Tab-separated table of all heavy atoms in Angstrom:
chain	number	residue	atom	x	y	z
J	245	ALA	N	1.679	11.411	-2.644
J	245	ALA	CA	0.537	12.125	-2.058
J	245	ALA	C	-0.438	11.152	-1.532
J	245	ALA	O	-0.558	10.016	-2.003
J	245	ALA	CB	-0.098	13.007	-3.118
J	246	THR	N	-1.160	11.596	-0.456
J	246	THR	CA	-2.274	10.763	0.064
J	246	THR	C	-3.526	11.643	0.151
J	246	THR	O	-3.451	12.789	0.243
J	246	THR	CB	-1.906	10.198	1.423
J	246	THR	OG1	-1.653	11.309	2.330
J	246	THR	CG2	-0.759	9.290	1.353
J	247	ARG	N	-4.676	10.918	0.245
J	247	ARG	CA	-5.927	11.604	0.400
J	247	ARG	C	-6.192	11.903	1.908
J	247	ARG	O	-5.716	11.186	2.836
J	247	ARG	CB	-6.982	10.592	0.022
J	247	ARG	CG	-8.502	11.008	0.104
J	247	ARG	CD	-9.410	9.919	-0.457
J	247	ARG	NE	-9.263	8.565	0.128
J	247	ARG	CZ	-10.075	8.172	1.138
J	247	ARG	NH1	-11.063	8.847	1.499
J	247	ARG	NH2	-9.873	7.004	1.712
J	248	ILE	N	-6.778	13.034	2.183
J	248	ILE	CA	-7.224	13.314	3.533
J	248	ILE	C	-8.438	12.388	3.683
J	248	ILE	O	-9.502	12.676	3.037
J	248	ILE	CB	-7.589	14.809	3.698
J	248	ILE	CG1	-6.467	15.723	3.251
J	248	ILE	CG2	-8.013	15.065	5.138
J	248	ILE	CD1	-5.333	16.066	4.163
J	249	GLN	N	-8.417	11.480	4.611
J	249	GLN	CA	-9.413	10.387	4.691
J	249	GLN	C	-10.573	10.857	5.595
J	249	GLN	O	-10.446	10.706	6.864
J	249	GLN	CB	-8.867	9.079	5.219
J	249	GLN	CG	-7.654	8.667	4.367
J	249	GLN	CD	-6.917	7.506	5.056
J	249	GLN	OE1	-7.404	6.358	4.756
J	249	GLN	NE2	-5.976	7.752	5.914
J	250	LYS	N	-11.632	11.262	5.082
J	250	LYS	CA	-12.814	11.814	5.850
J	250	LYS	C	-13.258	10.653	6.810
J	250	LYS	O	-13.633	10.982	7.944
J	250	LYS	CB	-13.926	12.021	4.831
J	250	LYS	CG	-15.089	12.838	5.352
J	250	LYS	CD	-16.079	13.166	4.261
J	250	LYS	CE	-17.110	14.070	4.876
J	250	LYS	NZ	-18.058	14.582	3.796
J	251	GLU	N	-13.256	9.373	6.363
J	251	GLU	CA	-13.816	8.353	7.221
J	251	GLU	C	-13.041	8.086	8.516
J	251	GLU	O	-13.547	7.388	9.402
J	251	GLU	CB	-13.982	7.089	6.336
J	251	GLU	CG	-12.687	6.320	5.910
J	251	GLU	CD	-12.182	6.894	4.645
J	251	GLU	OE1	-12.442	8.096	4.266
J	251	GLU	OE2	-11.341	6.214	3.923
J	252	ARG	N	-11.800	8.605	8.570
J	252	ARG	CA	-11.000	8.330	9.716
J	252	ARG	C	-11.172	9.494	10.854
J	252	ARG	O	-10.617	9.343	11.889
J	252	ARG	CB	-9.508	8.162	9.432
J	252	ARG	CG	-9.287	7.247	8.339
J	252	ARG	CD	-8.739	5.911	8.795
J	252	ARG	NE	-8.497	4.989	7.744
J	252	ARG	CZ	-9.141	3.894	7.492
J	252	ARG	NH1	-10.175	3.574	8.346
J	252	ARG	NH2	-8.953	3.163	6.462
J	253	PHE	N	-11.873	10.616	10.427
J	253	PHE	CA	-11.927	11.771	11.366
J	253	PHE	C	-13.043	11.590	12.379
J	253	PHE	O	-14.212	11.236	11.962
J	253	PHE	CB	-12.155	13.029	10.534
J	253	PHE	CG	-10.974	13.587	9.937
J	253	PHE	CD1	-10.296	13.105	8.864
J	253	PHE	CD2	-10.380	14.807	10.562
J	253	PHE	CE1	-9.194	13.605	8.293
J	253	PHE	CE2	-9.241	15.300	10.002
J	253	PHE	CZ	-8.625	14.731	8.889
J	254	PRO	N	-12.658	11.645	13.628
J	254	PRO	CA	-13.806	11.550	14.606
J	254	PRO	C	-14.681	12.825	14.475
J	254	PRO	O	-15.853	12.738	15.003
J	254	PRO	CB	-13.069	11.554	15.982
J	254	PRO	CG	-11.626	11.703	15.702
J	254	PRO	CD	-11.365	11.768	14.210
J	255	ASP	N	-14.263	13.912	13.942
J	255	ASP	CA	-14.944	15.201	14.011
J	255	ASP	C	-15.017	15.732	12.468
J	255	ASP	O	-13.961	16.072	11.941
J	255	ASP	CB	-14.214	16.064	14.965
J	255	ASP	CG	-14.856	17.486	15.009
J	255	ASP	OD1	-15.807	17.790	14.339
J	255	ASP	OD2	-14.224	18.324	15.681
J	256	ALA	N	-16.208	15.943	12.030
J	256	ALA	CA	-16.429	16.370	10.613
J	256	ALA	C	-15.851	17.771	10.448
J	256	ALA	O	-15.369	18.097	9.301
J	256	ALA	CB	-17.882	16.331	10.205
Side-chain angles (χ1 to χ4, degrees):
T246 60
R247 177 175 62 97
I248 309 274
Q249 303 173 91
K250 192 174 188 178
E251 67 275 23
R252 307 258 179 250
F253 277 74
D255 174 3

